[in-house]
Amino acid sequence: MDIKEAKFILANTPPFNKLKEAEIDEFLGICELRKYGHGEILYKDQDPPDYFYFLLRGRIVILKQDEKQESEIELIKRGTSFGIISLFNEEPHSVTTKSIEESSVLKCDKEKFKDFLNKYPLISLEFYRILSQRIRARSGKKRIFQCKRIAVMGARLSGKTSYMFNLGAKLKEQTRKSVICIEFSLSDSFGLDKLISASKMLNLEDYKEETLNDYMIKSNLQNNNELNFDCLLVKIKDTLKIPSLLNFLSENYHFIIYEMPEQFFDVNVKKHVSPADYFHFIVLPDREAALRAASVIAALNEADPLSADRVKVILSYFAAQEHLPVKNVKEILHTGIYATLPAFGEEYLNAIRRISKEVGEVIIGLALGSGGAYGFAHIGVLRVLEENHIPIDIICGSSIGSVIASLWALGETPEKIEKFMIEFAKKLNLFSVRGFSFPFKGLWRAKYLENILKKIFKDKTFYDLRHPLKIVVFDFLRKEAKILEEGHLYKAVAASCAMPGVFEPINFKDRVFLDGGVLNPLPTKVLLNYGADKIIAVNVTPSQEEIIKEYDKNNKFHILDFIFGSIETMQRQFIEQAVTVADCVIHPNFGHLRWLEFEKVQYFVKQGELATLNKLDELKKMVNG
């Protein structure tokens, strides 16, 4: 790994992605890029603090040393900062860190790092937030590396207790880390006890650390004891002792999910800001509930202007009587909708599972790249992934990749997607004069492309998706890549496919959008920004060697070859950067076929299948690892 690749990763990983390019260059200028081999120690327990560390590639294990043996606390992922507790409090390191495969790490001298944070207070605040999640044991050895606290809020009948409990269950299932769910109540009445078939209650006025275990209740809905987690019913009069209870639990649990009584929202909002890392606000789709939620969210933002990223609005149809349109709910809330919860059932649990994977940072992302007809290979990739139970938690597409990604995110099977694409290929006749544009902003009208895609996607919007989806477009006026996440799918997909010179730009109010492949032909960095832990990249763009070899056989070119070939050449550097952050790259071999051969859908699909089968062992190892 070189400094150029390090910059790419740093610029697309929180909190460094909040910095400008020149500021990232400045930071890299005070850092050292260091490689560590398998088994090499970065620092030991009780070593003095020396550097800030940032893992770029590889795997680092956090170890604690007991009297008799060394044991693992946590395996940290790419994009994780570490060594920062000791750096700030000037105390010796409390753990040992060791590389368990060849790893690339950025190191920054502690004084230079502190000076950098002082110079850029915004990123400094982000690091203090990260620091608040890291655990330093008050006595004895450290048991966990990091704790996340999620405050669940909402009206009494919103289904928030069921949400909390099921989120805890899915977090335990997905991460195998320690989880506790806590329901705080003003009375002896609880909702959680009905889900766990137990009713031991802790009166917070009588709380003592040494007797807390007496009140712990194990969830009993899992057949496997390893998947059970702790629950706690706590009666409160006020919030004074809540922080001390949460601080104590933070030394023992990776995830603390707690539900507060609705009556506390008005007078205790500021007290919730400090202890919680995230707020999951469960909102029913009716006007009164939305107005109530908007008031609390506004109070949270007033108490902490930086809390906006921490508030996650979850629209719940779990017990909804009124179904106000999502658009109207958003207008009342003045914020986006993080997730929707259907009525209880399989889809409800799938939605909780997706949220748990994001909270637990165990997301597998799939990036589908641009490439004209070559992109039909994405269908074969999806087919092999599904047949071999390789889970995909978020999908991102650029250009032709956005078409297939969107259909998959709607819940269509690879077989159905292939049928759609056969029809799509017939209608996308690049030599038809019906779609010509005059005057020439592109050879074909934007409406021509939109109409083709509207017949496929109809009036489906991003709210109809069954899987998280990001679509990449090129914002022509602002000269930057943009991620589309709302509105009609056909419009977003058309914008991502509007190749410059071939199709007219797609207009979105004051925006002018073109093909997402212009600046982001293989959108792995989008997945990196959205917290993907593992990234699978499907690169359907031929390499320079493959293109030259093919062009040597064929010297008959037309205008579209020149347009696409020129864009393809410019894209190559972006693709080279994109594959550096992927954990697995699938690159089909198309032989002598060219990007314009839209009629050969089945052939391209087959090549995608073969390329994925060749990577199957690597994919299974990545998922299980």
Side-chain angles (χ1 to χ4, degrees), residues 462-463 469-471 483-487 530:
F462 279 82
Y463 293 117
L469 167 72
K470 311 297 174 187
I471 290 178
I483 310 304
L484 299 184
E485 305 174 83
E486 59 182 22
Y530 281 90

Side-chain angles (χ1 to χ4, degrees), residues 331-347:
E331 288 173 354
I332 295 171
L333 292 172
H334 301 295
T335 188
I337 306 296
Y338 173 64
T340 57
L341 293 178
F344 191 82
E346 184 179 352
E347 286 302 309

Side-chain angles (χ1 to χ4, degrees), residues 307-360:
S307 70
D309 293 340
R310 300 156 62 191
V311 178
K312 310 292 185 183
V313 174
I314 297 163
L315 199 58
S316 173
Y317 294 89
F318 182 79
Q321 300 298 317
E322 179 186 347
H323 282 201
L324 196 66
V326 174
K327 180 182 177 182
N328 294 12
V329 176
K330 281 186 63 180
E331 288 173 354
I332 295 171
L333 292 172
H334 301 295
T335 188
I337 306 296
Y338 173 64
T340 57
L341 293 178
F344 191 82
E346 184 179 352
E347 286 302 309
Y348 174 91
L349 294 175
N350 285 340
I352 300 280
R353 174 185 171 275
R354 289 196 294 271
I355 296 170
S356 72
K357 295 201 78 171
E358 183 168 337
V359 172

